[in-house]
Every structure is written in C-alpha cells, then in structure tokens.
Amino acid sequence: MELLKQRILEVGVIVSDQVLKLDAILNHQVDPTLIVEMGKEFARLFREAKPDKVLTVESSGIPIAFATALQLGVPMVFARRKKTVTMDQDTYSERVPSFTKGIVTDIMVSAHLLNKGERILLIDDFIANGDAARGLIRIIEKAEAELVGVGIAVEKMFQAGGRSLRERDIRVESLARIASLADGQIRFE
Ligand code: 5GP
C-alpha cells in the first residue's frame, strides 16, 4: 500500500535494526485518514473470505481492526491484556511474549464473543516473531472458530513471524513489507 509506505518513510523512527517506531501514525497518535484507507484495503483483500468477525489484541491493533470491521460490516473483538472487574469469568486466555515490552503477558477474550464455527479475520499492526498472532490463533482454535486470514499493517520480513504462519498454510496479507532496518535506513521489499 503506497500511502502507508510513504507515511512510514516520512514519520518512521528506526529504534534499532529490529524495531521501527510509528508513534506518529499507529502506535501512540493515530492518523484517522490513513487508518481508514488501511481498513478499506484489508476489506478489499479479505471480503471474499467472508469473515464474521475481526479479531485483534489491544492496543495498537484496535484502530486498524475497527476500520476493517467497519468496511466489512462485521463486529470487531479485541483481546485484552488485563482482566477487568467487568470481564466474564469464562475466557480464553493465552500467554504471549511481548516483542516491544520484553515481557510475557496473558491475552484474553471472553468466551461468549468467539463462537464455534465463526469465521475470524485476524488483524494487527506489526508482525515480528509472530507470537501475538500465534496466541490469537490458539484462542480462535480454543473457541473452535475458523481463522480465514491474517492482515498485518507492517510486516518485518527479516523476522520469522509472517513466514511461520504462511508455512502453516495460513493466508497472511501485509500492507507494507520491510526488508531491512539496517544502517539507519528503512528498506521495503
Ligand atoms: P510478534 O508477536 O510478532 O513478535 O510482535 C508483534 C507485536 O509486537 C505487535 O503487536 C506490535 O505491537 C509489536 N511490535 C513488533 N515489532 C514492532 C516494531 O518494530 N515496532 C512497533 N512499534 N511495534 C512492534
């Protein structure tokens, strides 16, 4: 997606060879116009897969998943990272290493929000090693729902996450594919 690549070049901050900061558009401040365009693109890519729901994990996946769900006319569910007093006791929970926080966290979804046989489209902002996506996929499996595909805004091709999912015959679509962040430069594939 050319618009996203352009914006990444404009505002992306290279934190290290492994990490790109997109706080100006995705991860802290949100650019609504760009996010809506991303939602349209994911909807175009996955409409034929007929998702019943879009699933993401808080927090940065939420705007993109919301924009996608709006375009598809389906609900969006986000996995929580913290249990709240209002949350149901009956949850699907998975332990997931957090790439940016360097810790392990539990992600959880109330059981009644994911139903057996529902077609689920997974959306997230970045994929690095694929732990967040795999955790969400395990939750989908526990619910006996069906994963129809994974949409990722920014895929870092030099990390194994996307590849590991494709090797399992999971459809992964990414809007910007970064080949390298080495030498202080963002290189797209
Ligand atoms: P994974 O679980 O695939 O290793 O990492 C994915 C999660 O870590 C994403 O949900 C995203 O929030 C965060 N993440 C991974 N790489 C980056 C990065 O380069 N920049 C930012 N801002 N977040 C990242």
Side-chain angles (χ1 to χ4, degrees):
M1 184 181 165
E2 278 313 311
L3 179 63
L4 176 61
K5 284 160 71 174
Q6 238 180 55
R7 298 288 283 132
I8 289 173
L9 290 176
E10 281 164 21
V11 304
V13 177
I14 296 169
V15 175
S16 69
D17 285 5
Q18 308 287 309
V19 179
L20 177 66
K21 186 166 158 174
L22 291 180
D23 279 9
I25 52 172
L26 276 186
N27 300 115
H28 202 3
Q29 173 173 265
V30 168
D31 178 337
T33 309
L34 175 66
I35 300 283
V36 166
E37 290 307 315
M38 289 163 63
K40 285 182 186 164
E41 184 60 10
F42 280 133
R44 187 185 68 78
L45 289 164
F46 287 107
R47 185 166 278 116
E48 279 175 15
K50 296 192 170 28
D52 297 309
K53 264 177 198 171
V54 175
L55 177 67
T56 189
V57 56
E58 67 178 346
S59 52
S60 294
I62 292 175
I64 311 167
F66 171 85
T68 305
L70 180 69
Q71 296 297 326
L72 291 169
V74 299
M76 182 274 280
V77 176
F78 61 94
R80 289 190 186 275
R81 291 187 187 274
K82 284 212 171 72
K83 212 167 178 112
T84 63
V85 287
T86 55
M87 199 162 176
D88 298 341
Q89 291 304 312
D90 191 10
T91 60
Y92 300 117
S93 172
E94 279 295 324
R95 191 145 284 184
V96 168
S98 165
F99 183 82
T100 43
K101 298 189 189 88
I103 51 166
V104 174
T105 58
D106 291 322
I107 59 170
M108 58 208 101
V109 177
S110 285
H112 77 278
L113 295 176
L114 287 180
N115 299 302
K116 187 174 175 174
E118 268 179 342
R119 298 172 65 77
I120 308 295
L121 171 60
L122 209 158
I123 295 283
D124 206 1
D125 58 344
F126 273 90
I127 192 162
N129 299 323
D131 291 306
R134 278 191 295 274
L136 288 167
I137 291 169
R138 285 195 298 272
I139 285 177
I140 293 168
E141 287 167 353
K142 281 181 178 171
E144 296 181 66
E146 189 186 338
L147 176 71
V148 298
V150 178
I152 300 290
V154 184
E155 178 172 1
K156 290 180 289 176
M157 305 303 288
F158 55 88
Q159 290 161 331
R163 187 168 64 245
S164 75
L165 298 183
R166 290 185 185 98
E167 280 170 3
R168 291 169 56 185
D169 285 332
I170 294 170
R171 180 179 171 200
V172 182
E173 300 281 356
S174 44
L175 303 185
R177 285 183 277 277
I178 294 180
S180 158
L181 294 170
D183 308 319
Q185 267 199 53
I186 302 169
R187 291 189 189 82
F188 293 105
E189 205 178 65

